[in-house]
Amino acid sequence: DGGITQSPKYLFRKEGQNVTLSCEQNLNHDAMYWYRQDPGQGLRLIYYSQIVNDFQKGDIAEGYSVSREKKESFPLTVTSAQKNPTAFYLCASSIDRQGGNYGYTFGSGTRLTVV
Amino acid sequence: QKEVEQNSGPLSVPEGAIASLNCTYSDRGSQSFFWYRQYSGKSPELIMSIYSNGDKEDGRFTAQLNKASQYVSLLIRDSQPSDSATYLCAVNGPSNTGKLIFGQGTTLQVKP
């Protein structure tokens, strides 16, 4: 079955540590996205990529980094510069680069907690 | 003004009633509109999309779009306790960016 796989489901980060969240899709979608969701709040866009080897900053990119070396993969690194990283992280993909035409398919999410 | 606005709720309806969820958006150029359902602790799931003015029905769900008023709504008929979730409205962002802009969501509680 096609879909988006995020791993791990739960991740604990120590102060000053970088961590990487994995996102893999086998839907052959062009565009991929990373969102952050805080309790009781909507989704905020961190980074997005419409094509391999290219990506753009979203609304809250500071303290995060991404790469898009393969169409199927869009990992997100939460760096030590991100001062408040505890949140629910969602990866999504869209069949078209415009994204807005068909909506997104979401992965199951990674819950990151700072300890 | 937020780009996509929803009343955060909670909206409480009795089982079997019609639940009405509303969303307004600011960009008159928006062409695509989506409703996502998100259960607590889970990721959003696409339940409806609408692109032209009027109503679109799918089972117990009806999406309504009024571009002149910049308003999109979701009606859930015969509400069930399993419909209790947060409903996110999403609107396509500026062209060529592929971004969806999400509202903060409305929490729906269906009481047995």
Side-chain angles (χ1 to χ4, degrees), chain A residues 31 33 35 37 40-43 45 48 50 57-59 88 90 94 96-109 111, chain B residues 3 8 31-34 36 38 40-46 49 51 88 92-105:
Chain A
Y33 308 83
Y35 283 86
Q37 188 175 38
Q41 298 196 25
L43 278 64
L45 182 63
Y48 64 104
Q50 295 172 285
K57 292 182 179 180
D59 301 317
F88 189 41
L90 289 160
S94 178
D96 69 301
R97 295 175 189 177
Q98 300 307 314
N101 292 331
Y102 300 102
Y104 296 164
T105 300
F106 283 92
S108 57
R111 197 166 298 278
Chain B
E3 293 178 89
S8 60
Q31 298 292 324
S32 306
F33 307 86
F34 306 92
Y36 285 83
Q38 186 176 24
S40 181
K42 302 296 185 183
S43 62
E45 171 193 12
L46 180 64
S49 58
Y51 304 97
L88 301 169
N92 70 311
S95 60
N96 300 322
T97 65
K99 292 194 294 184
L100 289 184
I101 311 298
F102 287 84
Q104 70 175 72

Side-chain angles (χ1 to χ4, degrees), chain A residues 69-84:
Chain A
E69 297 176 0
K70 300 186 299 181
K71 188 175 185 178
E72 302 79 18
S73 179
F74 192 40
L76 173 74
T77 296
V78 184
T79 75
S80 57
Q82 172 49 240
K83 297 307 179 189
N84 185 22

Side-chain angles (χ1 to χ4, degrees), chain B:
Chain B
Q1 181 189 5
K2 290 183 182 177
E3 293 178 89
V4 179
E5 292 205 54
Q6 297 180 255
N7 186 325
S8 60
L11 172 66
S12 183
V13 300
E15 183 175 356
I18 295 175
S20 178
L21 305 162
N22 304 315
C23 172
T24 58
Y25 60 95
S26 60
D27 185 355
R28 285 196 170 273
S30 296
Q31 298 292 324
S32 306
F33 307 86
F34 306 92
W35 283 99
Y36 285 83
R37 177 177 61 199
Q38 186 176 24
Y39 291 114
S40 181
K42 302 296 185 183
S43 62
E45 171 193 12
L46 180 64
I47 56 172
M48 288 290 285
S49 58
I50 187 166
Y51 304 97
S52 52
N53 280 328
D55 295 0
K56 178 181 177 182
E57 187 174 318
D58 184 0
R60 295 186 296 112
F61 298 100
T62 298
Q64 299 176 317
L65 175 61
N66 183 327
K67 289 185 179 180
S69 300
Q70 295 174 246
Y71 177 94
V72 59
S73 64
L74 179 70
L75 301 179
I76 306 175
R77 290 183 299 281
D78 188 23
S79 295
Q80 301 297 309
S82 58
D83 295 324
S84 297
T86 296
Y87 290 80
L88 301 169
C89 173
V91 176
N92 70 311
S95 60
N96 300 322
T97 65
K99 292 194 294 184
L100 289 184
I101 311 298
F102 287 84
Q104 70 175 72
T106 298
T107 298
L108 173 66
Q109 297 174 346
V110 181
K111 297 191 180 299

Side-chain angles (χ1 to χ4, degrees), chain A residues 10-29:
Chain A
Y10 301 94
L11 185 58
F12 298 91
R13 192 194 92 165
K14 295 181 180 178
E15 295 283 350
Q17 189 178 42
N18 292 355
V19 292
T20 297
L21 283 60
S22 172
C23 178
E24 303 276 337
Q25 55 101 356
N26 60 4
L27 299 166
N28 198 33
H29 284 180

Side-chain angles (χ1 to χ4, degrees), chain A residues 32-34 45-48 55-58 61 64-66 74:
Chain A
M32 297 186 73
Y33 308 83
W34 275 105
L45 182 63
I46 304 172
Y47 269 98
Y48 64 104
F55 49 82
Q56 285 76 42
K57 292 182 179 180
Y64 300 97
S65 65
V66 293
F74 192 40

